[in-house]
Structures are given as structure tokens and as C-alpha cells.
Amino acid sequence: MKILITGGKGMLGRTLQKEFRDQELLIADLPECDITDAEKTKAFFAGFMPDVVIHCAAMTAVDRCETEEKLAALLNVEGTRNVAVAAHACNAKLIAISTDYVFRGDAERPYTEEDAPDPQTVYGKTKFGGEEMVRKYCPNHLICRISWLYGPGGPSFVHAMMKLADGTHPQLKVVADQVGNPTSTFAVARKLRELIRHPEYRGTWHLTCEGEASWCDFAREIFRLAGIRQEVVPCTTAEFPRPAPRPANSRLVKGMLKKAGLPPMPDWHDALREFMQAEF
């Protein structure tokens, strides 16, 4: 199988390269491929004629998106449109990586694939705009939403916590009023391989790990697994104001996996344990 990965040098892209190393791969990242240039993107794809395109390239710096809205729209909306058009021209299956930020983030329950998006940040709005471009220009697609992602090399919350636990911080304040599904790139990559085996699958899927935690819970589990004695003190979102508001609820229901009769994503504790043993 010929697989083209946009953003292949990023955290998820690097894991995907290893997961699919037994396939014929082409990495579409700067400077080789600029997804903001429609014609060059189309030509780059046509030179390889992929069977599957995994679209990871995006502007994901949430706070930077707030101050550089035009750039965020160029990369996340127009860039995704160009990828969708190019993939469709190659008759390729497009797997587009999206985010929980497409939702409002204040629901009392986890979000399902059927819930209506209502993004509250520039990042969320542009990622939802990208989803719409995929739906419009490449009917043969999977939109896979993930959140609270960590993986080899980072950058991620796990790497940030491990860096802070250097003995110079007697206490670490970590937000306890935001809840989500910590998710490893290993788990996502394996599930994408499984989904690719079924060409009939299309539409929007949630691919976060099972179980839920606050950032404070997440931090404590990181240190426990690392064998680090680090005091973690819960705090509120209000104590750490950011340019882009963070969703209080990032939890995602994996309804499509259940409907398809596929194995569930791993529990976040198990996924984190595997990652910690491999990375640190």
C-alpha cells in the first residue's frame, strides 16, 4: 500500500512513519510539500499516487492561532482543502486528523460523533473548517478526532511534566477542572492501521483512549509511573489564564468504533504505561 503522510515530521507523523514502515511511504512536510500551495500540492500527490493520505499537517499551537488567525485559516482550512482536492484527484482514501476543540467544551457528558460542533477558539474554528473541506472535496474520507495527545519526542504534556520534575519545584500546580481522555500516538497509529484495512469505513470517528482524567490526575499518574516523588497541587483554569480558552470537557465517545464492532481504544492508564516505559 502507498501511504502519503502530511505533517510527517510532527509528533503523530513520526509515530505513523514507524507504524507503517512496512508500507511504501512518502512524507509530505516542509520544505518538500507546502500544502498552502494548491497546484504544487496536487502535483506532489500525483507524482506518488497514494492509496491513502493521512493528513496530520496543521497549525496546532492553540494560543498562537488566536493571535495569527489568518495563518491558522491558511494552514488548517485552505491547506486541508488543497490536501482533500489532491487526495480525491488521486482516488486516495483521506484520513484527516481533527480535534475535540471543534466542540464548545462545556457539556456535562462526553461528546459523540453526532454532536453538533460549536468551536470557541480560532484553532477549533479553523480545524472544523478543515473538516468541512474534507467532507466537501474528498467523499472517501475518515475524519478522526483526537485530544490530549502525547508521543515520542513530544512536545506534549507528558514531556512538559517530566521536564518540570527536576527537583527545583517543591510543588507543581496543575489544572483540575478540565477533563479529557489522555491519548498516545501509539494507540492512534495502531487504530488507523486497523481502520485502513476496512475501505468501506467512512465518516467522522473519535479515537481517544478510554477512561478520563483531569490534567492534575494525568500529571500524578505520569510521576507515579516514572517513580518520581513530586507534589502536585490541584488548581483552577482561572488561575492560569491563556489567550485561547481551554475546554472544560474534552471527553469523546468512541461510538463509531463500537458501531463497527471494532476493539475499543486502550485505557489511558495502560497506554501511558507503555509510553513511559518506551520514552523515559
Side-chain angles (χ1 to χ4, degrees):
M1 184 176 291
K2 299 174 74 173
I3 301 176
L4 187 153
I5 304 173
T6 74
K9 297 175 185 176
M11 184 173 68
L12 178 57
R14 295 192 301 271
T15 300
L16 290 171
Q17 286 191 54
K18 291 185 178 180
E19 179 65 30
F20 292 104
R21 60 185 177 273
D22 58 337
Q23 307 297 319
E24 187 176 351
L25 293 180
L26 180 64
I27 306 307
D29 211 326
L30 291 172
E32 297 86 7
C33 180
D34 180 358
I35 64 170
T36 66
D37 188 315
E39 292 306 314
K40 288 183 179 179
T41 299
K42 196 170 184 179
F44 188 88
F45 281 38
F48 183 61
M49 291 301 292
D51 300 302
V52 175
V53 174
I54 306 178
H55 179 42
C56 302
M59 184 172 177
T60 59
V62 178
D63 291 329
R64 186 182 171 200
C65 286
E66 291 294 314
T67 56
E68 299 183 49
E69 187 170 354
K70 288 184 179 179
L71 180 59
L74 177 63
L75 291 168
N76 295 346
V77 184
E78 292 305 311
T80 299
R81 175 193 177 278
N82 296 339
V83 168
V85 169
H88 184 59
C90 295
N91 198 30
K93 178 71 161 280
L94 175 58
I95 299 176
I97 304 301
S98 193
T99 174
D100 67 287
Y101 273 76
V102 302
F103 296 116
R104 187 174 182 87
D106 62 355
E108 294 297 319
R109 58 166 177 79
Y111 288 95
T112 72
E113 288 97 340
E114 290 76 30
D115 284 327
D118 184 17
Q120 300 298 298
T121 63
V122 170
Y123 173 63
K125 290 173 184 176
T126 57
K127 286 296 287 181
F128 178 60
E131 287 190 5
E132 294 288 78
M133 292 296 173
V134 170
R135 295 184 180 104
K136 182 175 181 179
Y137 291 104
C138 191
N140 186 11
H141 69 259
L142 288 170
I143 294 170
C144 298
R145 295 179 182 142
I146 56 179
S147 69
W148 290 32
L149 192 68
Y150 60 89
S156 74
F157 180 77
V158 178
H159 292 86
M161 289 298 102
M162 290 296 288
K163 186 175 181 179
L164 287 170
D166 59 1
T168 65
H169 302 85
Q171 291 184 338
L172 287 179
K173 283 189 174 183
V174 183
V175 171
D177 58 359
Q178 297 171 24
V179 183
N181 312 124
T183 300
S184 79
T185 57
F186 294 154
V188 173
R190 289 167 188 156
K191 189 58 67 175
L192 291 183
R193 175 183 281 271
E194 191 174 359
L195 292 176
I196 287 171
R197 295 194 189 107
H198 298 271
E200 71 275 16
Y201 292 156
R202 297 186 181 184
T204 303
W205 299 58
H206 290 170
L207 297 184
T208 52
C209 284
E210 293 292 344
E212 61 186 58
S214 69
W215 290 112
C216 186
D217 298 329
F218 192 7
R220 286 172 172 162
E221 184 66 1
I222 291 166
F223 297 136
R224 187 187 74 81
L225 291 171
I228 296 173
R229 298 185 65 181
Q230 172 67 59
E231 185 177 1
V232 177
V233 179
C235 69
T236 65
T237 300
E239 292 178 65
F240 284 94
R242 308 289 291 275
R246 269 41 176 185
N249 176 20
S250 293
R251 298 170 295 167
L252 300 178
V253 174
K254 277 62 69 175
M256 290 296 286
L257 287 179
K258 186 174 182 179
K259 183 178 179 181
L262 294 175
M265 294 290 283
D267 183 85
W268 76 268
H269 297 88
D270 298 331
L272 180 61
R273 183 182 303 108
E274 177 196 20
F275 172 73
M276 295 293 291
Q277 290 172 351
E279 183 80 349
F280 299 102

